[in-house]
Amino acid sequence: MSGIGDKLRKVLDESVYQSVIWRSVFRHGFPDTDRNRTLVVLSNLFLHLHPAKLKGHAVRMRYTWCMGGLSFFMFLILTISGVFLMFYYRPTPEYAYADIIDLREGIPLGAFMRNIHRWGAHAMVIIVWLHMLRVFMTGSYKAPREFNWGVGVILLVLTLLLSFTGYLLPWDQLAIWAITVGTNMARATPFLGHEGPGASLIGYDDFAVVHPKSDVRFMLLGGSIVGPPALLRFYVLHCVFLPLVAGFLMAVHFWRIRKDGFSAPL
Amino acid sequence: MSHPVHPGPESLQPFFNGIDALCQPQIIFGGSIAALIGGLVFRRYLVKPAVAIGITVATLAFVGLSCLNGQFLSQAQKPDNVPIWILLAMTGFVLWVSFYQAVRNDDRIRQGLRTEEHEAAEEKLHVWPYLLYIEGIVAAFAMLVLFVWSVGIEAPLEQFANIAKTPNPSKAPWYFLGLQEMLVYYDPWMAGVVLPSMIISGLVVIPYCDPNPKGVGYYTFEQRKLAITTFLFGFVALWVVMIFVGTFLRGPNWNFYGLYEEWNPHKLEQLNNVNLSEFFWQNFMGESLPKQWFAREWPGFAVILIYFTAVPMVCAGLFRKLYKSLGFVRYNILIVHALFMMALPIKMLLRWSFNLKYIVYIPEYFFNI
Ligand code: HEM
């Protein structure tokens, strides 16, 4: 066995690792020395999100539960499966539902991709909550990481909003009613919703400024019911706006983890 | 919908009926708070692996037996409810992991030793391979779970959207069921707008309102009792439990149902709730309700004013050290958020014990609290 392994290693060494192409991609030798292990991490765009070295406690799963990393991993899986779904899905009531049926029945791997996207989204919500729980339980929100905790809270809200806006897209009974229940609350926003406290104070006598066709729910839905404009709005929020903001904030989040230093006992 | 569900074996009926009788909001919420506090007090026993395994086996047996009941099974195996099971199981597990380490560290601290994290942190490890291989395995495992989940369970798709056909119950997505449950106790402007905003801002201000420098980078309970208890009260009792209730115990018309009780849309719930102003003017003063809204509702305003002024003052006295180290402004930010958090359980208690509907009731301005 080891004979074959050694031979293979020798062949790789001579014809692959020494080749011009390999060496143009990887600027360091095989990571079996301290120097090369450091270089692997530092010279790779993706790996260099990590520092080259970490204190022992931070590496253990029992400390981080890997929940932050998994949140990011879920985000990546959702992005990839989401792009796949976008090839087949059109955000208008006449097509949306039919396109989902098509995905389920007609398109190779369509049902599977939809399932990955759906269950991955649920999983991400849970994972982000538990990540927050671990950050809390290890006191990692305390100085100097207060700001990054705040960035995390916004990421949590964005995760929920991403999930929520995606819920409408299949345009089935579950979708439209979950969103109706959810957005009905916006009617009652103080001052900004037409059934909210204070809304009737804005305006003169009979002239109401905040009414069902001008309040924040109308803005959210592009109408006074969950209809075609709402579908388009939620689609744009779900596929473009919210992922961009979340991606941007994740960059900030990761940058700050490095700058603030990973939490460690003093 | 209308065909009866299978109630399960005859011999289990007394058990099912007994549990159903316990399925009341008071008992469920009160019980979870008691369980949380009990869990914190008896953490030393609960973190013992044997005890934890025992509880896990008992829970699994309970769920297994419950699945013999048609109503429970139909809810339990709904594809969109699978995340709830995962949430419950994982929350339980990671809490156990935290407290397992916290108890060990607290013991070490008491003996004058350093925590396990302190010792592990002495050594510096290369990210390649020590962290990357863990990340690789965890990512592969997560992918595997997601694959199995996606092959095994089809994402649901119901009938084409129809705004004219209201399903009963109509539920928000599961992660917002805590908010929907709050609608039982507060009007939408509170449950759907003010309280969620307070949850978000409350989370953001946590680091600025926790003056305790201890407990960074290691698990501990004893050095951070107040902070951890408060956070878990919010996260477990007021969020995770509410999601469980919203999923399994709220049926048609958002009525409260037993775990095994068939969801009968014609179930009537007695609703004879009264407002504070009615209590005050009619029952207490023996007069009729004043017409003008402020004359009518001032007792409610007074109660709220006292809640937001007297309680902070009393607490400042009780938690003197906290008040001193935070200063006036940050202390007030903290206490206002705490009071908003407690507003939910307090309203629940008032509802259950006095059938109280609103503390302040001004329908003229949609201003009901
Ligand atoms: C989309 C959501 C999120 C992603 C992708 C994410 C990702 C990560 C990652 C990869 C880490 C590295 C350490 C670890 O794995 O635990 C981390 C650390 C951290 N996260 Fe997040 N996170 C998210 C949401 C949150 C939330 C909701 C909070 C808190 C409310 C938060 C607060 C923090 C803090 C304070 C740290 C530094 C921890 C330390 O130094 O120990 N993050 N995050």
Side-chain angles (χ1 to χ4, degrees), chain B residues 226-278:
Chain B
L226 184 62
I228 291 181
T229 309
T230 315
F231 189 82
L232 291 186
F233 179 73
F235 184 73
V236 178
L238 297 185
W239 193 249
V240 175
V241 171
M242 300 256 284
I243 289 172
F244 174 81
V245 166
T247 309
F248 293 109
L249 305 180
R250 289 292 183 182
N253 308 321
W254 208 252
N255 281 334
F256 216 93
Y257 289 80
L259 213 43
Y260 314 104
E261 183 182 349
E262 196 178 340
W263 283 9
N264 171 4
H266 305 295
K267 172 172 176 169
L268 278 184
E269 235 170 53
Q270 290 278 38
L271 282 180
N272 40 11
N273 295 331
V274 264
N275 299 323
L276 182 70
S277 47
E278 292 164 339

Short mmCIF file of all heavy atoms in Angstrom, two decimals, chain B residues 226-278:
data_model
loop_
_atom_site.label_atom_id
_atom_site.label_comp_id
_atom_site.label_asym_id
_atom_site.label_seq_id
_atom_site.Cartn_x
_atom_site.Cartn_y
_atom_site.Cartn_z
N LEU B 226 -27.32 37.00 35.77
CA LEU B 226 -28.45 37.86 35.40
C LEU B 226 -28.58 37.94 33.88
O LEU B 226 -29.67 37.79 33.32
CB LEU B 226 -28.26 39.25 36.01
CG LEU B 226 -29.41 40.22 35.77
CD1 LEU B 226 -30.69 39.70 36.40
CD2 LEU B 226 -29.09 41.60 36.30
N ALA B 227 -27.43 38.17 33.21
CA ALA B 227 -27.47 38.33 31.75
C ALA B 227 -27.99 37.06 31.09
O ALA B 227 -28.88 37.11 30.23
CB ALA B 227 -26.07 38.69 31.23
N ILE B 228 -27.44 35.92 31.48
CA ILE B 228 -27.83 34.68 30.80
C ILE B 228 -29.28 34.34 31.09
O ILE B 228 -30.04 33.94 30.20
CB ILE B 228 -26.88 33.54 31.21
CG1 ILE B 228 -25.49 33.80 30.61
CG2 ILE B 228 -27.41 32.19 30.75
CD1 ILE B 228 -24.46 32.75 30.92
N THR B 229 -29.70 34.52 32.34
CA THR B 229 -31.09 34.21 32.67
C THR B 229 -32.04 35.08 31.85
O THR B 229 -33.02 34.58 31.28
CB THR B 229 -31.35 34.43 34.17
OG1 THR B 229 -30.35 33.72 34.90
CG2 THR B 229 -32.71 33.93 34.58
N THR B 230 -31.75 36.36 31.76
CA THR B 230 -32.63 37.27 31.01
C THR B 230 -32.68 36.87 29.54
O THR B 230 -33.75 36.79 28.94
CB THR B 230 -32.13 38.72 31.12
OG1 THR B 230 -31.80 38.97 32.48
CG2 THR B 230 -33.17 39.69 30.65
N PHE B 231 -31.51 36.63 28.97
CA PHE B 231 -31.48 36.31 27.54
C PHE B 231 -32.23 35.02 27.26
O PHE B 231 -33.03 34.93 26.31
CB PHE B 231 -30.02 36.19 27.08
CG PHE B 231 -29.88 36.07 25.59
CD1 PHE B 231 -29.91 37.19 24.78
CD2 PHE B 231 -29.71 34.83 24.98
CE1 PHE B 231 -29.78 37.08 23.41
CE2 PHE B 231 -29.58 34.71 23.61
CZ PHE B 231 -29.62 35.84 22.81
N LEU B 232 -32.00 34.00 28.09
CA LEU B 232 -32.67 32.73 27.84
C LEU B 232 -34.17 32.83 28.07
O LEU B 232 -34.96 32.18 27.40
CB LEU B 232 -32.07 31.62 28.71
CG LEU B 232 -30.65 31.21 28.34
CD1 LEU B 232 -30.21 30.02 29.16
CD2 LEU B 232 -30.55 30.88 26.86
N PHE B 233 -34.55 33.69 29.01
CA PHE B 233 -35.98 33.91 29.22
C PHE B 233 -36.61 34.41 27.93
O PHE B 233 -37.64 33.90 27.48
CB PHE B 233 -36.18 34.92 30.35
CG PHE B 233 -37.62 35.22 30.63
CD1 PHE B 233 -38.42 34.28 31.25
CD2 PHE B 233 -38.19 36.43 30.24
CE1 PHE B 233 -39.76 34.55 31.49
CE2 PHE B 233 -39.51 36.70 30.48
CZ PHE B 233 -40.31 35.76 31.11
N GLY B 234 -35.96 35.38 27.31
CA GLY B 234 -36.48 35.91 26.04
C GLY B 234 -36.41 34.88 24.93
O GLY B 234 -37.39 34.65 24.22
N PHE B 235 -35.26 34.27 24.78
CA PHE B 235 -35.05 33.39 23.62
C PHE B 235 -35.86 32.11 23.74
O PHE B 235 -36.51 31.69 22.78
CB PHE B 235 -33.56 33.07 23.48
CG PHE B 235 -33.24 32.25 22.25
CD1 PHE B 235 -33.27 32.83 20.99
CD2 PHE B 235 -32.92 30.90 22.34
CE1 PHE B 235 -32.99 32.09 19.85
CE2 PHE B 235 -32.63 30.15 21.21
CZ PHE B 235 -32.67 30.75 19.96
N VAL B 236 -35.84 31.49 24.90
CA VAL B 236 -36.52 30.19 25.04
C VAL B 236 -38.00 30.38 25.34
O VAL B 236 -38.87 29.94 24.59
CB VAL B 236 -35.85 29.32 26.12
CG1 VAL B 236 -36.59 28.01 26.28
CG2 VAL B 236 -34.39 29.06 25.75
N ALA B 237 -38.29 31.08 26.46
CA ALA B 237 -39.68 31.11 26.91
C ALA B 237 -40.54 32.00 26.02
O ALA B 237 -41.70 31.68 25.76
CB ALA B 237 -39.75 31.59 28.36
N LEU B 238 -40.00 33.12 25.56
CA LEU B 238 -40.84 34.05 24.80
C LEU B 238 -40.67 33.92 23.30
O LEU B 238 -41.30 34.65 22.54
CB LEU B 238 -40.53 35.49 25.22
CG LEU B 238 -40.83 35.84 26.67
CD1 LEU B 238 -40.59 37.30 26.92
CD2 LEU B 238 -42.25 35.48 27.05
N TRP B 239 -39.81 33.04 22.82
CA TRP B 239 -39.66 32.94 21.38
C TRP B 239 -39.84 31.50 20.92
O TRP B 239 -40.80 31.19 20.22
CB TRP B 239 -38.31 33.53 20.94
CG TRP B 239 -38.20 33.75 19.47
CD1 TRP B 239 -37.39 33.06 18.62
CD2 TRP B 239 -38.94 34.68 18.66
NE1 TRP B 239 -37.57 33.53 17.33
CE2 TRP B 239 -38.51 34.51 17.33
CE3 TRP B 239 -39.91 35.64 18.93
CZ2 TRP B 239 -39.02 35.26 16.27
CZ3 TRP B 239 -40.42 36.38 17.88
CH2 TRP B 239 -39.98 36.19 16.57
N VAL B 240 -38.96 30.61 21.37
CA VAL B 240 -39.04 29.22 20.90
C VAL B 240 -40.35 28.56 21.37
O VAL B 240 -41.03 27.90 20.58
CB VAL B 240 -37.80 28.43 21.38
CG1 VAL B 240 -37.93 26.96 21.01
CG2 VAL B 240 -36.54 29.01 20.77
N VAL B 241 -40.71 28.77 22.62
CA VAL B 241 -41.95 28.15 23.12
C VAL B 241 -43.17 28.71 22.38
O VAL B 241 -44.10 27.99 22.04
CB VAL B 241 -42.08 28.35 24.65
CG1 VAL B 241 -43.45 27.92 25.13
CG2 VAL B 241 -40.99 27.58 25.37
N MET B 242 -43.12 30.01 22.09
CA MET B 242 -44.25 30.62 21.36
C MET B 242 -44.37 30.02 19.96
O MET B 242 -45.48 29.88 19.44
CB MET B 242 -44.05 32.12 21.26
CG MET B 242 -43.98 32.79 22.60
SD MET B 242 -45.48 33.65 23.01
CE MET B 242 -45.30 35.07 21.98
N ILE B 243 -43.23 29.70 19.34
CA ILE B 243 -43.28 29.09 18.01
C ILE B 243 -43.90 27.70 18.11
O ILE B 243 -44.74 27.30 17.30
CB ILE B 243 -41.86 29.04 17.40
CG1 ILE B 243 -41.42 30.44 17.03
CG2 ILE B 243 -41.83 28.13 16.18
CD1 ILE B 243 -39.99 30.54 16.59
N PHE B 244 -43.50 26.97 19.15
CA PHE B 244 -44.07 25.64 19.36
C PHE B 244 -45.59 25.75 19.55
O PHE B 244 -46.37 25.02 18.91
CB PHE B 244 -43.42 24.98 20.58
CG PHE B 244 -44.05 23.68 20.94
CD1 PHE B 244 -43.70 22.51 20.26
CD2 PHE B 244 -45.01 23.60 21.94
CE1 PHE B 244 -44.30 21.31 20.58
CE2 PHE B 244 -45.61 22.39 22.26
CZ PHE B 244 -45.25 21.25 21.58
N VAL B 245 -46.00 26.66 20.38
CA VAL B 245 -47.43 26.84 20.65
C VAL B 245 -48.16 27.22 19.36
O VAL B 245 -49.19 26.63 19.01
CB VAL B 245 -47.64 27.92 21.74
CG1 VAL B 245 -49.10 28.36 21.79
CG2 VAL B 245 -47.20 27.39 23.08
N GLY B 246 -47.60 28.19 18.64
CA GLY B 246 -48.26 28.64 17.41
C GLY B 246 -48.38 27.53 16.39
O GLY B 246 -49.32 27.49 15.60
N THR B 247 -47.43 26.61 16.39
CA THR B 247 -47.46 25.54 15.40
C THR B 247 -48.42 24.42 15.79
O THR B 247 -49.25 24.00 14.99
CB THR B 247 -46.05 24.94 15.23
OG1 THR B 247 -45.13 25.99 15.00
CG2 THR B 247 -46.01 23.96 14.07
N PHE B 248 -48.28 23.94 17.02
CA PHE B 248 -48.99 22.71 17.37
C PHE B 248 -50.26 22.93 18.18
O PHE B 248 -51.13 22.07 18.21
CB PHE B 248 -48.06 21.78 18.16
CG PHE B 248 -46.93 21.26 17.31
CD1 PHE B 248 -45.63 21.69 17.51
CD2 PHE B 248 -47.18 20.36 16.29
CE1 PHE B 248 -44.60 21.22 16.73
CE2 PHE B 248 -46.15 19.89 15.49
CZ PHE B 248 -44.87 20.32 15.71
N LEU B 249 -50.37 24.06 18.88
CA LEU B 249 -51.50 24.20 19.78
C LEU B 249 -52.51 25.26 19.32
O LEU B 249 -53.54 25.44 19.95
CB LEU B 249 -51.01 24.54 21.20
CG LEU B 249 -50.00 23.53 21.77
CD1 LEU B 249 -49.56 23.94 23.16
CD2 LEU B 249 -50.57 22.12 21.81
N ARG B 250 -52.18 25.96 18.24
CA ARG B 250 -53.13 26.93 17.73
C ARG B 250 -53.77 26.40 16.46
O ARG B 250 -53.08 26.14 15.48
CB ARG B 250 -52.42 28.26 17.43
CG ARG B 250 -51.99 29.02 18.66
CD ARG B 250 -53.19 29.54 19.41
NE ARG B 250 -52.78 30.35 20.58
CZ ARG B 250 -53.64 30.88 21.42
NH1 ARG B 250 -54.93 30.69 21.28
NH2 ARG B 250 -53.22 31.60 22.44
N GLY B 251 -55.09 26.26 16.50
CA GLY B 251 -55.79 25.72 15.34
C GLY B 251 -56.73 26.74 14.74
O GLY B 251 -56.48 27.94 14.84
N PRO B 252 -57.82 26.28 14.14
CA PRO B 252 -58.77 27.18 13.49
C PRO B 252 -59.19 28.33 14.42
O PRO B 252 -59.34 28.14 15.62
CB PRO B 252 -59.96 26.27 13.18
CG PRO B 252 -59.36 24.92 13.07
CD PRO B 252 -58.21 24.88 14.00
N ASN B 253 -59.35 29.49 13.85
CA ASN B 253 -59.71 30.71 14.58
C ASN B 253 -58.68 31.07 15.64
O ASN B 253 -58.97 31.82 16.56
CB ASN B 253 -61.09 30.59 15.24
CG ASN B 253 -62.14 30.16 14.24
OD1 ASN B 253 -62.10 30.61 13.09
ND2 ASN B 253 -63.03 29.28 14.64
N TRP B 254 -57.49 30.50 15.49
CA TRP B 254 -56.40 30.74 16.44
C TRP B 254 -56.81 30.35 17.85
O TRP B 254 -56.33 30.87 18.85
CB TRP B 254 -55.92 32.19 16.38
CG TRP B 254 -54.49 32.34 16.78
CD1 TRP B 254 -54.01 32.89 17.94
CD2 TRP B 254 -53.32 31.90 16.07
NE1 TRP B 254 -52.63 32.82 17.97
CE2 TRP B 254 -52.19 32.23 16.83
CE3 TRP B 254 -53.14 31.25 14.83
CZ2 TRP B 254 -50.88 31.93 16.43
CZ3 TRP B 254 -51.85 30.97 14.43
CH2 TRP B 254 -50.74 31.31 15.21
N ASN B 255 -57.74 29.38 17.96
CA ASN B 255 -58.10 28.86 19.27
C ASN B 255 -57.00 27.94 19.78
O ASN B 255 -56.22 27.40 19.01
CB ASN B 255 -59.40 28.06 19.18
CG ASN B 255 -60.61 28.97 19.16
OD1 ASN B 255 -60.55 30.09 19.66
ND2 ASN B 255 -61.68 28.50 18.56
N PHE B 256 -56.98 27.79 21.08
CA PHE B 256 -56.00 26.90 21.71
C PHE B 256 -56.53 25.48 21.71
O PHE B 256 -57.63 25.23 22.19
CB PHE B 256 -55.75 27.36 23.15
CG PHE B 256 -54.34 27.18 23.59
CD1 PHE B 256 -53.42 28.21 23.46
CD2 PHE B 256 -53.91 25.98 24.13
CE1 PHE B 256 -52.10 28.05 23.86
CE2 PHE B 256 -52.59 25.81 24.53
CZ PHE B 256 -51.69 26.85 24.40
N TYR B 257 -55.76 24.55 21.16
CA TYR B 257 -56.18 23.15 21.11
C TYR B 257 -55.18 22.30 21.86
O TYR B 257 -54.00 22.66 21.98
CB TYR B 257 -56.26 22.66 19.67
CG TYR B 257 -57.42 23.25 18.90
CD1 TYR B 257 -57.33 24.53 18.37
CD2 TYR B 257 -58.61 22.55 18.75
CE1 TYR B 257 -58.39 25.09 17.69
CE2 TYR B 257 -59.67 23.10 18.07
CZ TYR B 257 -59.55 24.38 17.54
OH TYR B 257 -60.62 24.93 16.88
N GLY B 258 -55.63 21.15 22.36
CA GLY B 258 -54.71 20.20 22.96
C GLY B 258 -53.83 19.58 21.89
O GLY B 258 -54.15 19.62 20.70
N LEU B 259 -52.73 18.98 22.33
CA LEU B 259 -51.80 18.36 21.40
C LEU B 259 -52.49 17.28 20.57
O LEU B 259 -52.13 17.05 19.41
CB LEU B 259 -50.67 17.74 22.23
CG LEU B 259 -49.24 17.69 21.70
CD1 LEU B 259 -48.84 18.98 21.05
CD2 LEU B 259 -48.31 17.37 22.85
N TYR B 260 -53.48 16.61 21.16
CA TYR B 260 -54.14 15.49 20.49
C TYR B 260 -55.58 15.81 20.14
O TYR B 260 -56.33 14.95 19.70
CB TYR B 260 -54.10 14.24 21.37
CG TYR B 260 -52.74 14.00 21.97
CD1 TYR B 260 -52.49 14.30 23.30
CD2 TYR B 260 -51.72 13.49 21.19
CE1 TYR B 260 -51.23 14.10 23.84
CE2 TYR B 260 -50.46 13.29 21.72
CZ TYR B 260 -50.22 13.60 23.05
OH TYR B 260 -48.98 13.40 23.57
N GLU B 261 -55.98 17.03 20.38
CA GLU B 261 -57.38 17.39 20.18
C GLU B 261 -57.61 17.73 18.71
O GLU B 261 -56.85 18.48 18.10
CB GLU B 261 -57.69 18.62 21.04
CG GLU B 261 -59.13 19.07 21.00
CD GLU B 261 -59.34 20.32 21.86
OE1 GLU B 261 -58.42 20.67 22.63
OE2 GLU B 261 -60.40 20.93 21.72
N GLU B 262 -58.65 17.15 18.15
CA GLU B 262 -58.91 17.38 16.74
C GLU B 262 -59.24 18.86 16.50
O GLU B 262 -59.92 19.49 17.29
CB GLU B 262 -60.09 16.51 16.30
CG GLU B 262 -60.16 16.43 14.80
CD GLU B 262 -61.30 15.52 14.35
OE1 GLU B 262 -61.76 14.70 15.17
OE2 GLU B 262 -61.71 15.65 13.21
N TRP B 263 -58.71 19.39 15.40
CA TRP B 263 -58.96 20.80 15.09
C TRP B 263 -60.37 20.97 14.54
O TRP B 263 -60.63 20.78 13.36
CB TRP B 263 -57.94 21.32 14.08
CG TRP B 263 -56.62 21.58 14.69
CD1 TRP B 263 -56.21 21.26 15.95
CD2 TRP B 263 -55.49 22.22 14.07
NE1 TRP B 263 -54.92 21.66 16.15
CE2 TRP B 263 -54.46 22.25 15.02
CE3 TRP B 263 -55.27 22.76 12.81
CZ2 TRP B 263 -53.21 22.79 14.74
CZ3 TRP B 263 -54.03 23.31 12.54
CH2 TRP B 263 -53.02 23.33 13.50
N ASN B 264 -61.29 21.32 15.41
CA ASN B 264 -62.66 21.49 15.01
C ASN B 264 -62.93 22.98 14.84
O ASN B 264 -62.88 23.75 15.79
CB ASN B 264 -63.56 20.90 16.11
CG ASN B 264 -65.01 21.21 15.89
OD1 ASN B 264 -65.37 21.82 14.87
ND2 ASN B 264 -65.83 20.83 16.83
N PRO B 265 -63.21 23.41 13.59
CA PRO B 265 -63.35 24.86 13.35
C PRO B 265 -64.54 25.47 14.06
O PRO B 265 -64.67 26.69 14.11
CB PRO B 265 -63.48 24.96 11.83
CG PRO B 265 -63.77 23.59 11.34
CD PRO B 265 -63.34 22.62 12.39
N HIS B 266 -65.43 24.63 14.61
CA HIS B 266 -66.60 25.19 15.27
C HIS B 266 -66.41 25.33 16.77
O HIS B 266 -67.31 25.73 17.48
CB HIS B 266 -67.83 24.35 14.97
CG HIS B 266 -68.05 24.18 13.49
ND1 HIS B 266 -68.35 25.25 12.68
CD2 HIS B 266 -67.95 23.10 12.69
CE1 HIS B 266 -68.46 24.82 11.42
NE2 HIS B 266 -68.21 23.52 11.41
N LYS B 267 -65.20 24.97 17.25
CA LYS B 267 -64.95 25.11 18.67
C LYS B 267 -65.14 26.56 19.08
O LYS B 267 -64.62 27.48 18.44
CB LYS B 267 -63.52 24.67 18.99
CG LYS B 267 -63.08 24.95 20.43
CD LYS B 267 -61.74 24.31 20.72
CE LYS B 267 -61.28 24.68 22.13
NZ LYS B 267 -60.12 23.91 22.58
N LEU B 268 -65.90 26.75 20.14
CA LEU B 268 -66.15 28.11 20.59
C LEU B 268 -65.30 28.40 21.81
O LEU B 268 -65.20 27.58 22.71
CB LEU B 268 -67.62 28.29 20.96
CG LEU B 268 -68.55 28.55 19.77
CD1 LEU B 268 -69.96 28.80 20.27
CD2 LEU B 268 -68.06 29.73 18.94
N GLU B 269 -64.66 29.55 21.81
CA GLU B 269 -63.93 29.92 23.00
C GLU B 269 -64.63 31.10 23.63
O GLU B 269 -64.99 32.06 22.96
CB GLU B 269 -62.48 30.26 22.66
CG GLU B 269 -61.52 29.41 23.48
CD GLU B 269 -60.07 29.53 23.01
OE1 GLU B 269 -59.58 30.67 22.90
OE2 GLU B 269 -59.45 28.48 22.78
N GLN B 270 -64.85 30.99 24.93
CA GLN B 270 -65.52 32.07 25.63
C GLN B 270 -64.65 33.31 25.58
O GLN B 270 -63.49 33.27 25.95
CB GLN B 270 -65.72 31.68 27.10
CG GLN B 270 -66.74 30.59 27.29
CD GLN B 270 -68.16 31.13 27.27
OE1 GLN B 270 -68.47 32.04 26.51
NE2 GLN B 270 -69.02 30.55 28.09
N LEU B 271 -65.20 34.39 25.07
CA LEU B 271 -64.45 35.63 25.07
C LEU B 271 -65.27 36.68 25.77
O LEU B 271 -66.12 37.31 25.17
CB LEU B 271 -64.15 36.08 23.63
CG LEU B 271 -63.03 35.37 22.89
CD1 LEU B 271 -62.89 35.94 21.50
CD2 LEU B 271 -61.72 35.49 23.64
N ASN B 272 -65.09 36.79 27.07
CA ASN B 272 -65.79 37.89 27.73
C ASN B 272 -64.76 38.74 28.45
O ASN B 272 -64.76 38.87 29.65
CB ASN B 272 -66.87 37.38 28.68
CG ASN B 272 -66.39 36.16 29.43
OD1 ASN B 272 -65.20 35.84 29.39
ND2 ASN B 272 -67.28 35.50 30.14
N ASN B 273 -63.86 39.26 27.64
CA ASN B 273 -62.79 40.05 28.22
C ASN B 273 -63.26 41.48 28.47
O ASN B 273 -64.08 42.00 27.74
CB ASN B 273 -61.58 40.07 27.29
CG ASN B 273 -61.01 38.68 27.16
OD1 ASN B 273 -61.10 37.88 28.08
ND2 ASN B 273 -60.42 38.40 26.02
N VAL B 274 -62.71 42.08 29.51
CA VAL B 274 -63.10 43.44 29.85
C VAL B 274 -61.88 44.35 29.88
O VAL B 274 -60.76 43.89 30.09
CB VAL B 274 -63.79 43.50 31.23
CG1 VAL B 274 -65.27 43.46 31.08
CG2 VAL B 274 -63.29 42.40 32.12
N ASN B 275 -62.14 45.61 29.66
CA ASN B 275 -61.06 46.58 29.67
C ASN B 275 -60.84 47.13 31.07
O ASN B 275 -61.75 47.10 31.91
CB ASN B 275 -61.37 47.74 28.72
CG ASN B 275 -61.53 47.23 27.32
OD1 ASN B 275 -60.82 46.33 26.90
ND2 ASN B 275 -62.50 47.79 26.60
N LEU B 276 -59.64 47.66 31.26
CA LEU B 276 -59.33 48.23 32.57
C LEU B 276 -60.30 49.36 32.93
O LEU B 276 -60.74 49.46 34.07
CB LEU B 276 -57.89 48.75 32.58
CG LEU B 276 -57.42 49.33 33.90
CD1 LEU B 276 -57.27 48.22 34.93
CD2 LEU B 276 -56.11 50.07 33.74
N SER B 277 -60.67 50.16 31.90
CA SER B 277 -61.57 51.28 32.20
C SER B 277 -62.92 50.78 32.69
O SER B 277 -63.52 51.38 33.58
CB SER B 277 -61.75 52.17 30.97
OG SER B 277 -62.00 51.38 29.83
N GLU B 278 -63.37 49.64 32.13
CA GLU B 278 -64.65 49.10 32.60
C GLU B 278 -64.54 48.59 34.03
O GLU B 278 -65.42 48.82 34.86
CB GLU B 278 -65.12 47.99 31.67
CG GLU B 278 -65.51 48.50 30.30
CD GLU B 278 -65.62 47.41 29.25
OE1 GLU B 278 -65.03 46.32 29.45
OE2 GLU B 278 -66.28 47.65 28.24
#
